[in-house]
Amino acid sequence: MSYLVLARKYRPKNFSEMVGQSHVVQALGNALGTGRLHHAYLFTGTRGVGKTTVSRILAKSLNCTGIDGQGGITAEPCNVCDACRDIDSGRFVDYTELDAASNRGVDEIAQLLEQAVYKPVVGRFKVFMIDEVHMLTNTAFNAMLKTLEEPPDYLKFVLATTDPQKVPATVLSRCLQFNLRPMAPETVREHLVQVLALENVEAEPQALRLLSRAARGSMRDALSLTDQAIAFGSGRLDEASVRVMLGSVDRSYVFRLLDALARGDGRTIVETSEVLRLNGLSAASTLEEMATVLQRMAVLQAVPGMGAGDDDNDPEIAETARLAQFMPADETQLLYSLCLHGRGELGLAPDEYAALTMVLLRLLAFKPADAGAAIVPPASARPATAPGSAAEPGKKPLSEPAAQPQALSPQGSAAALPVVAQATPAPVLQENYQPNKPIVQAGYAQTAINSEATVEALAAQAAVPAAPSPDISLQEASLGDGWSQIVNQLVAAETIAALTRELALQSELCSRVGAVWVLRVERESLSQPAAREKLQAALQAALNDTALTLSVETGVVSDTPARRNSAALAERQRDAEALIHNDPFVQDMMRNWGAKIVPGSIKSVSP
């Protein structure tokens, strides 16, 4: 006698043997017991969860005659009568299975429906089972609509599909729909234990856990993998052989990698990745196992005391719990996300193991820094600029002042630079403001600034008393006011462009001591010598001050023309939205006519 594979040998014969689909079994059992039978059923779900099996059991329940031949419709078919045995063996003349994947045209459906006009030959009901029904063409669906809606009393339709989204709504509305769920690994493992006990096959618990996880919710896949594992292990299932067969990564490697990530040990990460390469273990499987462990760690961190494994006897629970206590919760979430994204990037790399190493190093690179190292002191806490110096203590200027141009107008000219007044005045800046907070530009009156009176004029506009001595630097607010005005005027006149314009907009005027102006930028790429020299020449020409020199340093900035412009633009946008919302005509339209303002449609007009 030929060998019968486990997936067919242990196919359920009645509803009581169905595993993991209690919601479907209960509904069909109650319907059969009360006689409330629908004329069309649609079973959906992924592969190997029992769609064809439940349709055959339903056909047996409708046609079972019992052991004595006098039985009727029942939720517990006897599996002894001729109808039950013929349906199981595929010889029952009144039960027709059609594979829509290979018979998807209107002609095949027409031939099937031609049989609908004839009453059952030997059974109580005719049952038409159409598998993978979503593969039918639109004309085939349309051809069966009328019969599907009003079939004869003796005809039942059973449809099965793995993709219900492709089934037309006109078909869905004519059927009772049951969704067969993927099975949990615990459910699969318990069923494998029963099957292997009947087969007298020894199996290690950890081997069954590997098989149940590899099945991914499909009982047929689990039984097929078990068949393969029995052959691979010469009639015995042990963890090592199953792991080799599946190409799974030993969880010890996963725990070693996660422990190294938690400690920031890059050497161990690279060495473990090399071991995985030498052993030929799958990079994709490594990241999948890491994501699985990280998910369990996240559960333990969020809800302490909940099991981290498939069951309480899983030997990996203790190690998972230890890592959950050792690694911060936010880092666990970050590593989980990076593992998922890295899994999708493996196919883009020329070498799978090089891609795995890069993903692991990325996990290490994005490890949150220590709290103490991540704190940046505010501007008020940084050392002040020493009198007469060009930079703060500890700050190294990126470029020294360039040589003064000789072909410019004489120093001390009375030529003035007009200041651009803001259209919408805003509150004056406070003297002590916090870094990185939005800065609202103040309104200024038209005035003239020359090289000799810049400091005094800015101080007067900001309501800050002028410095009594040129060695004492002014308040930051007053410097920011004047610097923003000068930069905006240069930009409006198109005197500066490209990188020079960005340097001016993104810089903060830190100090002005004599003819030396010190600017600070956050990005080193902005402080190119050529851009600094062009900005210096533009300022000399605008202020008629050939002695003016610029020095650029890097550091945290808090008051730049770009930030002031953004704040002013946001303020104008808020004013424009408030103007529209408060308009009486608009309010009347919204209140009486149901009008709505489309979000994002209100734009402020630049002054």
Side-chain angles (χ1 to χ4, degrees), residues 21-233:
Q21 309 298 343
S22 58
H23 62 293
V24 177
V25 170
Q26 179 179 351
L28 293 178
N30 293 338
L32 291 167
T34 59
R36 301 179 64 88
L37 301 174
H38 203 270
H39 60 269
Y41 297 88
L42 175 63
F43 298 111
T44 66
T46 186
R47 76 276 179 274
V49 294
K51 298 186 296 297
T52 304
T53 297
V54 74
S55 69
R56 291 182 180 179
I57 297 175
L58 179 60
K60 289 193 296 184
S61 299
L62 294 173
N63 291 285
C64 179
T65 59
I67 300 177
D68 56 359
Q70 303 298 321
I73 299 174
T74 177
E76 299 177 357
C78 65
N79 294 317
V80 176
C81 65
D82 293 339
C84 292
R85 288 188 285 106
D86 290 345
I87 291 175
D88 285 335
S89 60
R91 299 191 305 266
F92 193 65
V93 67
D94 293 323
Y95 178 70
T96 304
E97 285 191 8
L98 179 69
D99 180 19
S102 55
N103 301 277
R104 57 193 304 266
V106 65
D107 294 335
E108 289 82 355
I109 293 298
Q111 293 177 6
L112 179 67
L113 296 179
E114 287 177 358
Q115 305 176 24
V117 298
Y118 302 106
K119 290 187 176 182
V121 178
V122 295
R124 191 177 296 113
F125 290 93
K126 273 182 176 290
V127 179
F128 289 166
M129 194 276 178
I130 305 178
D131 199 10
E132 300 299 337
V133 68
H134 68 275
M135 299 292 289
L136 292 178
T137 63
N138 288 332
T139 53
F141 275 121
N142 293 332
M144 64 182 292
L145 283 180
K146 187 60 179 177
T147 306
L148 184 64
E149 182 178 9
E150 297 179 355
D153 294 340
Y154 52 79
L155 178 60
K156 303 295 181 184
F157 281 93
V158 179
L159 312 180
T161 179
T162 56
D163 196 355
Q165 287 78 15
K166 294 183 179 180
V167 180
T170 52
V171 175
L172 295 176
S173 65
R174 290 167 167 81
C175 303
L176 283 185
Q177 184 172 342
F178 294 93
N179 182 29
L180 279 71
R181 304 164 185 163
M183 301 179 195
E186 298 88 341
T187 303
V188 175
R189 186 177 58 82
E190 292 173 358
H191 187 66
L192 291 181
V193 170
Q194 298 176 4
V195 170
L196 293 177
L198 296 175
E199 292 289 314
N200 295 320
V201 175
E202 297 182 3
E204 294 182 358
Q206 192 61 23
L208 295 182
R209 292 189 181 94
L210 291 173
L211 291 173
S212 62
R213 285 199 294 258
R216 299 184 182 277
S218 171
M219 187 62 74
R220 182 175 62 224
D221 288 4
L223 292 173
S224 298
L225 289 173
T226 303
D227 252 332
Q228 182 180 354
I230 292 174
F232 189 85

